């Protein structure tokens, strides 16, 4: 039920943001990565910001930030190059510690190559365009090479910048599907942005 409630809230928020567009489901493109000279490590966010400040900063930069009720995290949908991502702002106590951008997660046979790979490519291209070539870079892995249920996942790219570390990863994990109650193998790509 919580899964359905969360999805309903997100769909409602996305519908509000798209109401001014002529075509249905034509959501606006989210802002990109900030220049290094801009304050903060993503969307003006700074380490130590509290939840209210994070919400204000996200919304002032045209991100649709909201507080997730069951976790008290700050989240925001992101749409880049026609693909849906979700920004999660993680806190230590009351202070912002890092941001995580996650692509769509799915379990179907085709999902890894047809959804995860293109989303991973978009993230790699966007970060490279904003901050240059990564310090570490490996090709997109085969799914069987990605460690399952490892919180770090398979790191493919990392950028060590003066004020932040960015890591692009591929994740594989098991989870019970909220509708069918089956335990399924999911995969997705994630981008960790952590201030130094």
């Amino acid at each position: 039920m919580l899964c359905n409630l969360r999805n309903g809230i997100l769909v409602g928020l996305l519908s509000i943001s798209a109401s001014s567009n002529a075509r249905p489901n034509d959501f606006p493109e989210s802002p990109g990565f900030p220049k290094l000279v801009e304050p903060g490590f993503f969307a003006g966010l700074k380490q130590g910001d509290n939840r209210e400040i994070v919400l204000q900063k996200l919304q002032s930069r045209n991100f649709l930030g909201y507080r997730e009720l069951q976790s008290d995290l700050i989240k925001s949908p992101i749409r880049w190059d026609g693909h849906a991502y979700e920004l999660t702002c993680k806190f230590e106590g009351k202070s912002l510690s890092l941001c995580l951008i996650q692509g769509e997660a799915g379990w179907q046979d085709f999902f890894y190559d047809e959804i995860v790979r293109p989303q991973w490519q978009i993230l790699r291209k966007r970060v490279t365009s904003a901050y240059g070539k990564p310090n570490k870079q490996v090709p997109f892995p085969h799914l069987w090479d990605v460690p399952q249920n490892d919180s770090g996942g398979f790191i493919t790219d990392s950028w060590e910048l003066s004020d932040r570390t960015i890591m692009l990863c591929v994740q594989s994990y098991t989870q019970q599907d909220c509708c069918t109650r089956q335990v399924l193998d999911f995969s997705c790509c994630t981008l960790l942005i952590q201030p130094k």
Side-chain angles (χ1 to χ4, degrees), residues 111-150:
F111 194 85
Y112 188 71
D113 284 320
E114 294 183 20
I115 305 296
V116 176
R117 181 191 294 262
Q119 290 196 329
W120 172 87
Q121 289 170 328
I122 288 166
L123 289 175
R124 175 186 261 185
K125 182 178 178 182
R126 280 183 166 266
V127 179
T128 301
S129 294
Y131 304 127
K133 291 184 179 180
N135 300 90
K136 173 199 170 186
Q137 183 175 23
V138 298
F140 187 74
H142 293 288
L143 182 56
W144 57 79
D145 291 329
V146 179
Q148 196 169 59
N149 297 320
D150 181 332

Side-chain angles (χ1 to χ4, degrees), residues 49 51 73-74 88-92 95-100:
D49 285 349
R51 287 170 177 81
L73 297 170
I74 302 297
T88 300
C89 300
K90 186 178 182 305
F91 296 81
E92 291 181 10
S95 300
L96 178 66
S97 60
L98 60 87
C99 289
L100 183 74

Side-chain angles (χ1 to χ4, degrees), residues 19-30:
S19 62
S20 62
N21 294 328
R23 294 180 302 175
N25 299 324
D26 187 15
F27 301 121
E29 185 86 354
S30 299

